[in-house]
Amino acid sequence: FPSHDIAFAEAWKSWEKHRREIRKTLTPSTRRMQLNKCAKWGEKKAIETIKRSIENGWMGLFESTDTYKKQENIDTRKKYGY
């Protein structure tokens, strides 16, 4: 993310703090891969994902299951032609 994305930078800082607090610091490889994932999601979704992960005490960043359900519904509609 560009350095001017203050909201994302603050969320990411909170994420790294959370990981330190649970004694699971991010390795350079993990940091790079998670940042790439966040970039793919876009700022808004990335911030929401980070907040949800911290709130739930998770060690990773996981895409919302709503996204998977939506994709599953799209795939089903395509498969059956409706």
Side-chain angles (χ1 to χ4, degrees), residues 12 15-16 19-20 24-35 59:
W12 186 258
W15 175 241
E16 289 194 329
R19 290 289 302 245
R20 284 190 306 276
K24 300 287 183 186
T25 56
L26 294 171
T27 65
S29 296
T30 302
R31 180 179 291 108
R32 182 178 58 254
M33 292 178 81
Q34 287 185 349
L35 284 169
M59 291 186 290

Side-chain angles (χ1 to χ4, degrees), residues 1-80:
F1 284 95
S3 59
H4 66 274
D5 291 335
I6 296 169
F8 176 79
E10 289 176 2
W12 186 258
K13 185 177 178 180
S14 295
W15 175 241
E16 289 194 329
K17 179 182 178 201
H18 165 71
R19 290 289 302 245
R20 284 190 306 276
E21 289 171 348
I22 63 171
R23 295 188 174 102
K24 300 287 183 186
T25 56
L26 294 171
T27 65
S29 296
T30 302
R31 180 179 291 108
R32 182 178 58 254
M33 292 178 81
Q34 287 185 349
L35 284 169
N36 286 340
K37 191 185 291 191
C38 287
K40 180 181 139 192
W41 289 335
E43 182 180 6
K44 182 181 176 189
K45 183 176 178 180
I47 292 170
E48 290 170 359
T49 300
I50 290 168
K51 287 180 179 180
R52 187 176 62 253
S53 293
I54 294 170
E55 287 170 359
N56 290 299
W58 296 341
M59 291 186 290
L61 300 175
F62 306 102
E63 191 168 11
S64 171
T65 55
D66 291 341
T67 302
Y68 292 119
K69 288 177 185 175
K70 288 177 188 173
Q71 185 60 46
E72 186 177 282
N73 288 339
I74 292 168
D75 293 343
T76 300
R77 282 186 239 135
K78 285 180 182 176
K79 182 177 179 180
Y80 295 105

